[in-house]
Amino acid sequence: MALIEGSGPGNDVARADRQTDKDADFSAYMAARQPALYRTAYLLAGDHAGAEDLLQNAFAKLYLSWDKVRDPQALDGWVRRVMVNENNSLWRRAWKRRENSTDPTAGAMPESGVHDEYDDGMGGVLWSFVQTLSPKQRAVIVLRYYEQLSEAEIADVLGISPGTVKSQASRALAALRARAPHSLNPHESGDAR
């Protein structure tokens, strides 16, 4: 009986070693990058449960494609893009569309105070307004102002042109200016003249 090339006990051991190396490399990447990527997922989803789902789906897709990784430096961008795409596809589902209440009796409203600290997206007055943006606009704002990516990097992550990044950011900032109270605008003083 002839053995088929690539089969046999020696190849099974080599295959198991490669799988172990893959698992170890992936686990190391995931442990190192999970906190920062979770932050991005939270900023995109707007809640902890949605963020965990986004990140878990992104890591699952990355694991399945781990053998195809050519540039380890591009992994974060690839994971961010998967999260943005997953978030956008969730928003397309009618049952997932979010409604934001303006009725003060409907529940907790955003804080009214203004803080002048680094906003990690986990709290703050402005975040409640960022959550009202469309998914594409929110993705651009999150990647630009919370993740500090350049327009070119955002265009690469989202698969759009830098001009589209600029226009989405401009529209998003205009919407935020229109929705947010004037007390949040650092360029306006309290006295109107």
Side-chain angles (χ1 to χ4, degrees), residues 14 17 59 115 122 182:
D17 287 345
F59 278 144
H115 62 87
M122 300 296 250
H182 292 291

Side-chain angles (χ1 to χ4, degrees), residues 1-155:
M1 175 184 272
L3 289 175
I4 299 172
E5 185 177 333
S7 67
N11 287 331
D12 290 342
V13 171
R15 201 173 301 124
D17 287 345
R18 281 193 305 273
Q19 185 66 34
T20 302
D21 290 346
K22 171 186 173 182
D23 290 348
D25 291 346
F26 178 79
S27 294
Y29 171 77
M30 193 173 85
R33 299 301 304 147
Q34 188 169 6
L37 293 169
Y38 176 81
R39 179 176 169 267
T40 303
Y42 178 82
L43 294 170
L44 290 170
D47 61 69
H48 293 288
E52 289 169 359
D53 289 345
L54 279 179
L55 189 57
Q56 181 178 357
N57 288 340
F59 278 144
K61 289 182 177 189
L62 177 60
Y63 181 79
L64 293 174
S65 300
W66 192 256
D67 294 330
K68 301 173 191 171
V69 171
R70 302 267 188 269
D71 182 9
Q73 301 300 321
L75 284 174
D76 282 357
W78 189 89
V79 172
R80 283 188 193 109
R81 182 172 185 153
V82 168
M83 288 190 298
V84 167
N85 290 345
E86 286 286 318
N87 190 53
N88 289 344
S89 72
L90 285 174
W91 272 84
R92 289 185 191 112
R93 298 177 187 154
W95 58 268
K96 179 66 176 164
R97 291 200 183 107
R98 180 181 313 197
E99 294 182 16
N100 294 304
S101 174
T102 57
D103 180 8
T105 62
M109 297 304 289
E111 298 173 313
S112 59
V114 177
H115 62 87
D116 190 20
E117 300 172 4
Y118 173 74
D119 186 359
D120 65 357
M122 300 296 250
V125 179
L126 188 57
W127 179 241
S128 64
F129 295 103
V130 172
Q131 288 181 306
T132 65
L133 296 173
S134 72
K136 287 183 182 179
Q137 289 176 346
R138 185 189 317 173
V140 168
I141 293 299
V142 164
L143 294 174
R144 181 69 181 110
Y145 297 102
Y146 288 89
E147 291 298 317
Q148 303 294 316
L149 298 181
S150 70
E151 290 167 350
E153 291 170 323
I154 296 168

Side-chain angles (χ1 to χ4, degrees), residues 129 171-182:
F129 295 103
R171 289 183 188 125
L173 292 173
L176 289 173
R177 282 186 200 102
R179 293 175 189 159
H182 292 291

Side-chain angles (χ1 to χ4, degrees), residues 141 165-175 177:
I141 293 299
V165 171
K166 291 177 188 179
S167 67
Q168 289 291 319
S170 175
R171 289 183 188 125
L173 292 173
R177 282 186 200 102

